[in-house]
Amino acid sequence: MDRIRIVGGRPLSGRIPISGAKNATLPLMIASLLTNETLILDNVPRLADVALLQRILGNHGVDVMIGGKRPGDGAYQGQTLHISAADIVDTTAPYELVSRMRASFWVIAPLLARMGEARVSMPGGCAIGTRPVDLLIMALERLGASIEIDGGYVLARAPNGLRGGEIVFPKVTVGGTHTALMAASLARGMTVIENAAREPEVGDVADCLNKMGARIEGAGSSRIVVEGVARLGGARHTVLPDRIETGTYAMAAAMASGDVLLENTRPELLQSALDVLTQAGARISATNEGIRVQRDGAALRPVEVTTAPFPGFPTDLQAQLMSLMTRAQGTSRITETIFENRFMHVQELARLGARIHLDGETATIEGVERLKGAPVMATDLRASVSLVIAALAAEGETIVNRVYHLDRGFERLEQKLAGCGAEIERLTG
Ligand code: EPU
């Protein structure tokens, strides 16, 4: 199993190209099931999750062709996927596949909307919490689906097609909103989604669906209106920049100090996180090439942050911020409100010398003078990368184990950081 070796203490300076967003790519690939024509996606990141979803879609009969490199393409150019769901051969998504990637549960919406039925395994819990799918099921029921749960599978049926309805989410859910949008696009009549997720990835998926012929208004706000259409067609769409990757490298630059330009990304995708970094003492500026993050040697200031749905501070940057705050001068407090168990990084950060006290959903982080390298491992993607950030500021060598978590969501992580002067390498085998 691969590991990553980091020797801390080097400032970061240079440019980091930001990839297309994982969490937009996955629902966009799933949206291909809505049409028998080809969906072309540009700026797709090279990630294990994308490859896995390709296999999962393959199981339904979807053909994915990866475009070759064009002259002038750099090493970091995103891929182009040509996705064709001309013939859906199977409407079942089995446990073996859904349990490996939760987002694959979302295939339930396009399969049901296009084929009139879907049988999809319940995903089960995961390292960051129980993560139920009750609200996704509620949304489909509101559109006229009949739902049965049998043997760990959700069986959704709408033999005469879905019909528009009112969906009021009692809690903001990204997956629930994606599911509702996909299903409502092919339902008869109008759907209103209240308390919709406002995450930029929802807006990106809605843009793509509109290019495919859907009639969606209000994506990006908490009230979305969808006028169903009889069929959707092919389209070409460029995946938006990954705001979590952007925020992660911004935190890395703040941690290591230095001067880094995050290319091909936009501040409005993560303003709340950039504001927190400014409070902590980083200098953030928007340029026409991307976002510049600078920090001189001055001490980091502590912050108080509570995670929240967009435009609040993202849960997917909580672990990274916690790493940064381990080196602040003073006591920080971070409250996690989205997932109940997303503190698996705390014990590992402690191995590097961090002082963190957990009380329910709040972590109190007492900044320390120094971190010291150690072997660590983590159980999810964002927790793993938080250990990389801590390692950049730790004295001596840190070995991050279970790198496959990182490969799920960060493309060429070690190259991107090494390109800015970090001492980081992958140890294979
Ligand atoms: N929830 C329910 N019932 C449901 C659905 C969600 O109670 O039916 C709860 C969840 O348990 C959670 C909250 O609602 O407490 C929000 O969950 P949400 O549905 O928004 O999360 P998700 O769609 O499963 C996506 C991202 C996550 C990200 C969250 C929150 C993708 C593929 N995943 O998950 O990303 O943390 O939104 O922003 O888009 C990651 O990339 O590392 C990651 C975990």
Side-chain angles (χ1 to χ4, degrees):
M1 243 189 284
D2 288 5
R3 292 162 299 153
I4 287 193
R5 174 179 172 274
I6 300 158
V7 178
R10 300 256 195 114
L12 294 180
S13 143
R15 293 166 168 257
I16 298 183
I18 298 301
S19 301
K22 167 180 85 79
N23 288 351
T25 301
L26 302 178
L28 285 166
M29 290 174 73
I30 289 173
S32 70
L33 286 165
L34 288 164
T35 174
N36 59 3
E37 294 181 15
T38 302
L39 177 65
I40 304 177
L41 298 178
D42 293 306
N43 199 31
V44 172
R46 289 172 184 74
L47 297 173
D49 269 8
V50 170
L52 179 57
L53 183 56
Q54 191 180 327
R55 276 188 38 211
I56 294 173
L57 292 175
N59 196 53
H60 300 294
V62 177
D63 233 31
V64 181
M65 203 269 289
I66 301 180
K69 278 204 179 264
R70 284 168 298 203
D73 281 359
Y76 294 105
Q77 196 83 28
Q79 329 175 76
T80 295
L81 303 189
H82 298 248
I83 312 176
S84 164
D87 298 304
I88 291 177
V89 297
D90 194 341
T91 53
T92 294
Y95 176 73
E96 301 73 62
L97 296 176
V98 180
S99 58
R100 292 185 58 191
M101 184 173 44
R102 294 186 51 86
S104 62
F105 183 83
W106 304 343
V107 300
I108 195 167
L111 288 174
L112 173 67
R114 180 165 155 204
M115 308 299 288
E117 64 160 45
R119 189 171 162 269
V120 179
S121 167
M122 308 264 276
C126 72
I128 62 176
T130 49
R131 301 182 79 182
V133 289
D134 55 323
L135 300 177
L136 283 68
I137 291 175
M138 176 278 283
L140 299 175
E141 280 178 331
R142 298 292 302 158
L143 300 181
S146 75
I147 305 278
E148 250 177 78
I149 297 182
D150 184 28
Y153 280 75
V154 180
L155 181 56
R157 283 201 202 89
N160 302 315
L162 294 169
R163 51 171 165 66
E166 194 187 24
I167 301 169
V168 183
F169 286 113
K171 177 176 195 175
V172 175
T173 154
V174 173
T177 308
H178 285 315
T179 307
L181 274 182
M182 288 191 236
S185 291
L186 282 184
R188 267 193 319 278
M190 193 171 87
T191 297
V192 179
I193 307 170
E194 301 279 3
N195 199 24
R198 290 181 282 165
E199 270 64 8
E201 294 75 22
V202 169
D204 204 44
V205 171
D207 281 351
C208 179
L209 290 171
N210 281 341
K211 289 180 195 164
M212 293 164 72
R215 296 208 195 120
I216 302 169
E217 274 179 29
S221 76
S222 48
R223 183 172 193 270
I224 306 180
V225 179
V226 186
E227 186 67 52
V229 296
R231 62 177 297 280
L232 293 171
R236 182 161 198 156
H237 182 79
T238 301
V239 178
L240 91 170
D242 195 314
R243 64 194 164 98
I244 304 303
E245 191 196 23
T246 306
T248 299
Y249 289 123
M251 307 252 177
M255 183 65 145
S257 80
D259 185 349
V260 174
L261 180 70
L262 306 170
E263 295 177 318
N264 314 324
T265 184
R266 303 192 301 267
E268 68 273 16
L269 297 174
L270 70 161
Q271 198 55 56
S272 62
L274 296 179
D275 290 346
V276 168
L277 279 172
T278 306
Q279 268 178 45
R283 220 161 81 214
I284 310 281
S285 42
T287 79
N288 51 11
E289 291 179 293
I291 303 172
R292 186 170 174 195
V293 184
Q294 293 163 280
R295 186 169 84 79
D296 54 23
L300 286 163
R301 292 189 288 268
V303 296
E304 298 227 349
V305 167
T306 299
T307 61
F310 192 86
F313 188 93
T315 172
D316 288 346
L317 286 174
Q318 180 256 109
Q320 297 89 316
L321 178 66
M322 195 176 302
S323 271
L324 183 63
M325 288 301 108
T326 61
R327 293 277 290 111
Q329 206 169 57
T331 303
S332 304
R333 236 176 297 281
I334 302 181
T335 303
E336 169 60 57
T337 66
I338 309 290
F339 293 111
E340 75 271 20
N341 193 25
R342 207 171 199 183
F343 283 128
M344 312 298 278
H345 40 288
V346 169
Q347 288 313 317
E348 298 301 301
L349 287 171
R351 293 176 56 76
L352 299 173
R355 285 205 206 118
I356 305 172
H357 172 74
L358 274 183
D359 184 10
E361 55 182 25
T362 299
T364 304
I365 306 116
E366 206 186 304
V368 293
E369 280 284 311
R370 54 195 278 267
L371 297 173
K372 196 156 178 304
V376 287
M377 73 164 79
T379 41
D380 84 88
L381 166 59
R382 311 303 176 185
S384 304
V385 85
S386 77
L387 300 173
V388 172
I389 291 176
L392 291 173
E395 284 168 18
E397 180 183 279
T398 296
I399 302 282
V400 181
N401 291 291
R402 299 202 180 164
V403 169
Y404 57 84
H405 288 299
L406 287 171
D407 293 335
R408 293 188 64 176
F410 290 92
E411 180 178 353
R412 297 175 192 261
L413 172 100
E414 61 283 15
Q415 286 95 329
K416 288 186 182 185
L417 286 171
C420 288
E423 193 172 336
I424 178 168
E425 63 177 334
R426 180 179 291 249
L427 309 173
T428 43

